[in-house]
Amino acid sequence: MRLRRASGRANHIQKHRDKRLLLVEDSRMFAAALKHGLELTHGINVAHCASLAAVKAEVAAAGESAFSLAVLDLNLPDAPNCEALDFILANNVPAIVFTAAFNDSTRGQILNRGVADCIVKNEPESIERLIAAVDRVLTKGRTTVLLVDSCAASRQDLASILRRGLFAVIEASEAWEALQVLDQGEAVDVIITDTGLADLAGLLGEVQKRQGEDAVPIIGLSEQGDARVAARFIEAGGADFIRKPFLEAEFSGRIRHAAMLQKRIQALKLAAASDYLTGIFNRRHFFMTGPRLVDQYLRRGEGTSIAVLDIDHFKRLNDTYGHEIGDLVLKHVAGRLKALVGDQHLLARLGGEEFGILFDGLGVRDAFAFCERLRAELAKSKIVADDEDLAITVSIGLATIEAPEAFENYLHAADQFLYMAKHAGRNRVISELALLDALAS
C-alpha cells in the first residue's frame, strides 16, 4: 500500500480545515495512512477511534453535530455486525464505508441505507479513492441530476436510485419541461434521459444550442441492446449511454464520473475566462456568455439591460501616479463592483478601465437605480496612493434589451450612452430613461 503525495498541496490543504471527520478504523496501518492523507490533502481535523465504545465516547463528548462526516470499517472488535454504522447513521452523521468485508450484495444493502459511498480496502489506489470521496461529500452542494423520463414508474425507480446515491434530483416528464428547468437557471450537473423519450433529438439539439461549449453532459438509458442505438445517441450529442438493467454501483459511478469531468472542464474554463489583473471575468467570457443569457431572458419574456462603466480620468491618473497605482485602482474598482454586483449579474472587465454588466432580468428603471448605487458607492470609496487619498468616480451608460439582436448592438448602444455621460460632466449614469425623464421635465 502506497500513499502518493497529493498534488497541489498548498492549494488544497485549506479546503476543509473548518470541518471534523470521525475515522473509525481498528487497523493501525490503515488508520495512520488515512489520517495522514486526509489531513495532508484537505486540512481536515481527523478524530480516530478504534472501537464502537470509543466512537460513542467521542460523539458524547463532542456532540453529533461536531462531525461533518464519518469514515468507518463495517466490522470492529466490539461491533462485528455493522453496529458502528448503525450508531453513526442514528446520530445523523454522513458516512463513507471503508472495509474489506464486502461484496456486491453487501454494497447494495449499505448504499440503500443512505451511505455516501462504499470503498473496498486492499484494492489498488483505495486510499486515494477514499480521499477523493471525502472531498466529494464535503464539498458544498451535491451533484444535481435532471432526470427526464415520460414513464412515471421508471422515473420514480431511477429517482430513488439516484437519491440513495446522494444525488440531488430534479424530475421532468417531457423534453420541454427539462429545457424549462435549464432556462430557469437551475444548476444542473448531469442530464439523464430515456432514449425512448419523445423529442429526444430536440432535447439534445436544444441543450447544445442554448449552452454551447458549456452544455451539460447528457446520459442516455435504454433497454435495447442494439449498439446502433448507443452510436446514434452519442453522435447526436450524448455524453454516455447505459443499457438497462444495470448495476446500481456502475450507474452511480458513471454519473459521478460525468459530473466530475464536467466540473473539471468548467474549472479550466473559469480560469481561462478570468481577467489576469482583477480576477473578474474577461471580455472574451462576456461576449461568449452574454448572448446565451440574453436568449434565456428573452425566451422567458423578460426584458433586461446592459451597462458599460468607465473610470473617469483614468489616463490622467496613470500619467500622474504611474501604472502601478493605475493597476491598484483597477483592482479596487473591480473588487468593489464584484462585491456590489455579486453573482446574480454578469460582470466583466472589457479592457483598459472599462467594465461591462449584463443584468439578470432587470428592466431599465431597476437597472438605472442599481447603476446609481454603484456610482455612488464607488465615489465614496478612497484609495491610498503615496500617502494621498484618491477619489475615484465612474461614468455609466445603460441600454435596454427588449428584442433579439446581435450582442454587439446592445453593447454599442450602452457605449453611446456612456459617451453622453462623459460629455455631460462624468460621474453620472445616462440611459434612455434619463433622457426621457429630462425631456418630460
Side-chain angles (χ1 to χ4, degrees), residues 156-271:
Q156 184 177 0
D157 289 343
L158 289 169
S160 296
I161 293 172
L162 289 166
R163 292 189 175 104
R164 284 200 297 270
L166 297 186
F167 296 101
V169 183
I170 302 172
E171 298 182 40
S173 59
E174 305 290 346
W176 66 266
E177 290 181 8
L179 293 172
Q180 192 174 55
V181 168
L182 297 177
D183 284 344
Q184 289 169 350
E186 294 286 352
V188 174
D189 298 302
V190 179
I191 298 173
I192 298 175
T193 180
D194 191 280
T195 56
L197 183 76
D199 199 22
L200 175 63
L203 175 64
L204 291 165
E206 282 297 315
V207 170
Q208 291 291 329
K209 175 184 174 183
R210 298 180 186 193
Q211 298 189 336
E213 293 181 354
D214 297 326
V216 177
I218 303 176
I219 297 176
L221 302 177
S222 177
E223 293 180 354
Q224 299 183 42
D226 192 338
R228 288 173 295 185
V229 175
R232 286 194 297 268
F233 180 79
I234 299 297
E235 288 173 0
D240 198 359
F241 184 88
I242 302 175
R243 288 184 179 85
K244 301 177 182 178
F246 48 72
L247 290 175
E248 189 170 318
E250 178 195 6
F251 178 63
S252 297
R254 287 168 76 168
I255 295 168
R256 286 196 181 96
H257 180 68
M260 178 188 66
L261 288 178
Q262 179 73 356
K263 288 176 180 178
R264 286 180 179 175
I265 290 170
Q266 293 303 320
L268 291 172
K269 287 184 176 179
L270 180 61

Side-chain angles (χ1 to χ4, degrees), residues 134-437:
V134 167
D135 180 44
R136 183 175 66 247
V137 174
L138 290 179
T139 298
K140 66 176 182 178
R142 294 178 177 180
T143 295
T144 300
V145 175
L146 174 55
L147 176 61
V148 193
D149 194 332
S150 54
C151 175
S154 172
R155 190 172 66 250
Q156 184 177 0
D157 289 343
L158 289 169
S160 296
I161 293 172
L162 289 166
R163 292 189 175 104
R164 284 200 297 270
L166 297 186
F167 296 101
V169 183
I170 302 172
E171 298 182 40
S173 59
E174 305 290 346
W176 66 266
E177 290 181 8
L179 293 172
Q180 192 174 55
V181 168
L182 297 177
D183 284 344
Q184 289 169 350
E186 294 286 352
V188 174
D189 298 302
V190 179
I191 298 173
I192 298 175
T193 180
D194 191 280
T195 56
L197 183 76
D199 199 22
L200 175 63
L203 175 64
L204 291 165
E206 282 297 315
V207 170
Q208 291 291 329
K209 175 184 174 183
R210 298 180 186 193
Q211 298 189 336
E213 293 181 354
D214 297 326
V216 177
I218 303 176
I219 297 176
L221 302 177
S222 177
E223 293 180 354
Q224 299 183 42
D226 192 338
R228 288 173 295 185
V229 175
R232 286 194 297 268
F233 180 79
I234 299 297
E235 288 173 0
D240 198 359
F241 184 88
I242 302 175
R243 288 184 179 85
K244 301 177 182 178
F246 48 72
L247 290 175
E248 189 170 318
E250 178 195 6
F251 178 63
S252 297
R254 287 168 76 168
I255 295 168
R256 286 196 181 96
H257 180 68
M260 178 188 66
L261 288 178
Q262 179 73 356
K263 288 176 180 178
R264 286 180 179 175
I265 290 170
Q266 293 303 320
L268 291 172
K269 287 184 176 179
L270 180 61
S274 299
D275 176 61
Y276 74 99
L277 178 65
T278 63
I280 65 174
F281 287 127
N282 57 26
R283 181 184 183 89
R284 177 178 179 274
H285 180 80
F286 195 73
F287 273 81
M288 288 186 65
T289 306
R292 176 170 56 81
L293 293 177
V294 169
D295 184 52
Q296 287 183 11
Y297 303 149
L298 295 179
R299 205 165 41 242
R300 294 200 302 253
E302 300 175 358
T304 190
S305 308
I306 189 169
V308 177
L309 178 151
D310 188 271
I311 302 174
D312 295 328
H313 301 298
F314 186 74
K315 183 178 184 304
R316 187 170 69 192
L317 184 148
N318 254 342
D319 292 342
T320 303
Y321 296 98
H323 290 286
E324 184 177 345
I325 299 301
D327 287 350
L328 182 66
V329 169
L330 287 170
K331 288 189 281 190
H332 170 82
V333 170
R336 291 297 298 141
L337 287 173
K338 179 63 178 174
L340 295 166
V341 172
D343 295 325
Q344 181 181 359
H345 311 294
L346 177 62
L347 167 70
R349 181 186 176 198
L350 301 181
E353 68 272 27
E354 197 169 79
F355 299 83
I357 306 171
L358 177 62
F359 292 102
D360 181 358
L362 287 188
V364 66
R365 194 167 293 277
D366 289 336
F368 186 87
F370 194 106
C371 288
E372 273 291 350
R373 288 196 297 272
L374 293 181
R375 182 199 61 75
E377 286 294 326
L378 287 168
K380 286 192 301 186
S381 65
K382 303 292 183 183
I383 300 174
V384 178
D386 296 334
D387 297 324
E388 179 182 347
D389 284 347
L390 297 181
I392 302 299
T393 64
V394 298
S395 300
I396 305 175
L398 176 69
T400 57
I401 299 175
E402 297 176 327
E405 291 185 42
F407 188 71
E408 291 81 358
N409 291 351
Y410 306 134
L411 205 66
H412 179 69
D415 241 341
Q416 293 299 309
F417 288 122
L418 172 63
Y419 179 83
M420 295 179 192
K422 291 284 189 183
H423 282 265
R426 296 183 170 84
N427 190 24
R428 65 194 64 217
V429 183
I430 295 289
S431 72
E432 61 188 80
L433 176 65
L435 297 179
L436 290 173
D437 288 347

